[in-house]
DNA sequence: CGTCAACCTGACCAGATGGTCAAAAGAAAT
DNA sequence: ATTTCTTTTGACCATCTGGTCAGGTTGACG
């Protein structure tokens, strides 16, 4: 996430706006229809741009898709940082879960695109999984093992704890249609999101034998 | 799941074999490429049938897709039955989680198709969500509430407990590529599946304050 | 064996879609 | 004002894909 320098001139500013508009629209369309189901024409229409203009900024559909996915990965990385390797299990996990739930609420389309990508074998982002994600996971597993060695939590397989957190938090974004349907066809409100976050955190912490607020 | 009567003759037998072959192949291709990404030609090639033959049995791609999804839903319903409403929390949840993990292992393609469908707004199965799934969920929520009233488990929001179980168990199928990558690029073996099931069950049970084996 | 219905299949078509291009329009620099 | 570079855009094309169809093949049945 490089801090972006301010636009040098009118052109540069417009260019950024257009890029942002295209990326945001594309994220939604890719999330709703999948890579193949999304068409450049549909993205163009939603963004109110001629299709040829999209191809000016992103030569191919794959280029556009890749940038959408990379943006999402960076958001994920930000949240991943909040898994503080120096904090107590309670602090680290509570913060991490909250952050992930917030992402599910604020970036539902991104989460869906990511899910889609992984479900279909991660053809575009396979290298990310093998490098960045693997490294991140290994270091966190070591942290969790240390917690167990120090008797701060029960002995469990750290891998499955992580999967459980990922699966559950992302479920609220990826399966939002199912959740909405089961919620009287209403979007979850602030209170319900807070309730979900609290409930998930509590079950996870109790599940691994970590006292809360400790 | 109607018990199928035995084929009356050679023709009937062949017909069933062909139907089963097409459905199984389609399930895999739909899982790997999504609805739009999967082509009738690809399914035909994989099944070693002429494309026109597919259209003989399934007039349109949507018909084929719908039947694939319906088959998956029935498998889900079977597992759902194992959430015994009369058993203790430990029994009911342990069995249910085990059953769902088994499905994730034995029907990974089906799970992926389902996930895809829900992620994209469940255009085909929306009626299932609104009827069968809603009813099932309501009855199970009542059961969980009874457990809480009887002091068998802690007070939590039953809805989120269910979401957690669904999310986590299905994660092993839907995100298998990620899991394999993080597992030294090897498929999970018998021991690892048993380990995962045990670990998930333990965290959930402890998470809601239910003693194990009780 | 003959008839009929079910089944199979190569060839074909219409529409959709990713991508191209040349020309026009607009901003920046001189 | 003129030149130069970036951006915009409508028209166009090659390819892919779902679906059709006419004619051939096969099994059931009397």
């Amino acid at each position: 996430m490089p801090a972006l320098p301010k636009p040098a001139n009118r052109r540069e500013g417009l260019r950024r706006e257009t890029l942002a508009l295209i990326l945001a629209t594309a994220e939604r369309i890719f999330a709703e229809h999948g890579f193949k189901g999304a068409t450049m024409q549909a993205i163009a229409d939603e963004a109110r741009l001629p299709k040829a203009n999209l191809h000016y900024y992103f030569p191919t559909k794959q280029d556009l898709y890749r940038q959408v996915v990379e943006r999402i990965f960076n958001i994920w990385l930000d949240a991943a940082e909040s898994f503080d390797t120096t904090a107590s299990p309670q602090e680290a996990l509570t913060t991490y879960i909250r952050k992930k739930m917030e992402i599910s609420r604020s970036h539902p389309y991104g989460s869906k695109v990511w899910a889609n990508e992984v479900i279909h074998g991660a053809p575009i982002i396979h290298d990310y999984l093998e490098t960045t994600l693997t490294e991140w996971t290994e270091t966190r597993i070591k942290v969790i093992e240390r917690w167990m060695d120090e008797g701060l939590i029960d002995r469990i397989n750290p891998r499955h704890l992580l999967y459980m957190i990922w699966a559950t938090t992302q479920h609220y974004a990826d399966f939002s249609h199912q959740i909405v349907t089961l919620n009287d066809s209403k979007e979850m409100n602030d209170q319900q999101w807070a309730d979900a976050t609290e409930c998930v955190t509590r079950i996870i912490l109790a599940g691994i034998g970590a006292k809360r607020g400790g």
Side-chain angles (χ1 to χ4, degrees), chain A residues 131-203:
Chain A
T131 58
T132 315
L133 182 62
T134 304
E135 283 165 30
W136 187 90
T137 306
E138 293 308 326
T139 69
R140 265 55 179 189
I141 285 178
K142 285 207 172 56
V143 171
I144 298 172
E145 280 169 349
R146 206 189 61 216
W147 290 342
M148 294 191 295
D149 290 342
E150 294 175 3
L152 298 174
I153 61 171
D154 296 341
R155 284 232 157 258
I156 43 96
N157 187 326
R159 223 166 264 279
H160 299 305
L161 171 61
L162 289 176
Y163 295 164
M164 212 161 163
I165 295 173
W166 295 345
T168 303
T169 54
Q170 288 164 210
H171 182 85
Y172 287 88
D174 303 342
F175 286 67
S176 62
H177 290 96
Q178 182 172 307
I179 288 177
V180 167
T181 301
L182 292 177
N183 189 39
D184 261 329
S185 297
K186 294 188 192 58
E187 295 279 334
M188 284 169 67
N189 59 35
D190 289 355
Q191 181 55 51
Q192 288 173 323
W193 275 99
D195 190 35
T197 304
E198 199 273 337
C199 191
V200 169
T201 305
R202 186 206 305 207
I203 293 180

Side-chain angles (χ1 to χ4, degrees), chain A residues 48-119:
Chain A
R48 307 213 176 208
L49 293 172
K51 192 183 63 158
N53 205 350
L54 262 63
H55 279 102
Y56 174 73
Y57 286 100
F58 302 92
T60 70
K61 190 181 175 184
Q62 267 220 22
D63 289 332
L64 175 53
Y65 180 72
R66 184 182 284 272
Q67 293 213 24
V68 167
V69 173
E70 280 174 5
R71 241 169 45 129
I72 298 154
F73 189 71
N74 283 328
I75 291 168
W76 179 85
L77 270 184
D78 274 357
E81 280 310 305
S82 76
F83 192 133
D84 190 331
T85 54
T86 64
S88 71
Q90 292 80 0
E91 283 176 284
L93 293 178
T94 301
T95 307
Y96 184 51
I97 292 170
R98 180 174 45 73
K99 207 73 171 274
K100 287 225 70 194
M101 290 293 283
E102 283 169 3
I103 292 177
S104 280
R105 190 176 191 188
S106 60
H107 295 78
Y109 298 125
S111 186
K112 282 177 178 131
V113 172
W114 182 265
N116 238 305
E117 172 68 7
V118 176
I119 287 177

